[in-house]
Amino acid sequence: MSPIIWYIIAYLAGGIPFGYLIAKYFAGINIKEHGSGNIGATNVLRVLKETDPKKAKKLAAITLFLDAFKGAFVLIIAKIAGVCDATLWAIAVMAVIGHCFSPYLKLEGGKGVATTAGVLLVLVPKAVLFALVVWFIMAKTVRISSLSSLSAIIFGILSTYFLYPDLSIHSHAPLWLIAFIVIYKHKENIYRLVTGQEKRVI
């Protein structure tokens, strides 16, 4: 199958707005009109816990899993089909782009953290485990969701230079492209961090 077809599949799969769909059909809430307006698991949890904390945790967990799984699933199928490594990395990038700029939400979307974790778990699993450790430490100490996620992304990618010094494509460029997309989607959070307005997780 042509690489372009794989890219389209990855983009369309990555663009499935699970957080939006789950909040709408299981809680009757348009997640885009509440909280931060983001369709990711954090906003699902933040918004839904105001009315049903127990359900909020379950639906947020499901959102997190599905957002990570959708990109990973396409990659796994592509690997089974014998797709070359360069195309696999492009698929990973397209899945993240799909989530962040969903074709189903007029090119709006989430911030890409869970989908990034999913695709990189397939391609560089040890780096993802390292990133999770960074995220956990940051989440428990500074208690700021956006800063924890950004720190995990950056340090996770930096870790690939010693965990995977010789990637099969001989370049870490796809990783930094994904990082750029995720950081861009966090631009409002970064502004609030710089100005001291970003809220802590209670």
Side-chain angles (χ1 to χ4, degrees):
M1 187 161 60
S2 169
I4 295 177
I5 301 299
W6 283 110
Y7 304 155
I8 294 173
I9 292 173
Y11 176 70
L12 294 177
I16 300 172
F18 283 115
Y20 172 82
L21 295 172
I22 287 171
K24 181 177 181 179
Y25 291 106
F26 291 96
I29 294 177
N30 183 346
I31 200 70
K32 288 171 57 58
E33 297 177 352
H34 298 272
S36 65
N38 186 49
I39 62 171
T42 298
N43 198 42
V44 170
L45 176 62
R46 181 185 297 118
V47 172
L48 299 189
K49 74 177 182 180
E50 295 178 2
T51 56
D52 192 336
K54 189 174 182 180
K55 178 187 283 188
K57 290 181 179 180
K58 291 180 180 179
L59 295 182
I62 294 171
T63 299
L64 183 67
F65 171 78
L66 291 176
D67 280 347
F69 178 75
K70 61 187 179 183
F73 178 73
V74 178
L75 273 175
I76 291 170
I77 297 301
K79 287 188 74 171
I80 293 173
V83 170
C84 71
D85 288 348
T87 299
L88 290 177
W89 277 103
I91 288 171
V93 173
M94 291 304 298
V96 175
I97 291 175
H99 177 79
C100 294
F101 306 96
S102 173
Y104 313 111
L105 296 176
K106 299 179 180 179
L107 299 184
E108 295 181 1
K111 297 181 179 178
V113 176
T115 305
T116 294
V119 296
L120 296 189
L121 190 60
V122 176
L123 297 171
V124 284
K126 289 184 287 186
V128 174
L129 294 178
F130 180 84
L132 286 174
V133 172
V134 172
W135 179 88
F136 180 80
I137 293 172
M138 293 295 290
K140 289 295 183 180
T141 54
V142 301
R143 302 184 69 81
I144 299 178
S145 178
S146 59
L147 185 57
S148 301
S149 297
L150 290 170
S151 298
I153 290 287
I154 293 171
F155 281 99
I157 289 176
L158 288 174
S159 76
T160 62
Y161 284 91
F162 60 85
L163 293 174
Y164 302 91
D166 297 312
L167 288 175
S168 57
I169 57 172
H170 307 296
S171 173
H172 287 71
L175 287 160
W176 288 113
L177 179 55
I178 290 173
F180 174 81
I181 295 167
V182 174
I183 292 170
Y184 172 78
K185 292 294 291 186
H186 279 81
K187 60 184 183 299
E188 294 179 359
N189 301 89
I190 293 171
Y191 173 79
R192 289 195 294 269
L193 284 168
V194 172
T195 57
Q197 301 177 56
E198 187 76 328
K199 295 180 180 179
R200 295 178 182 271
V201 177
I202 300 175

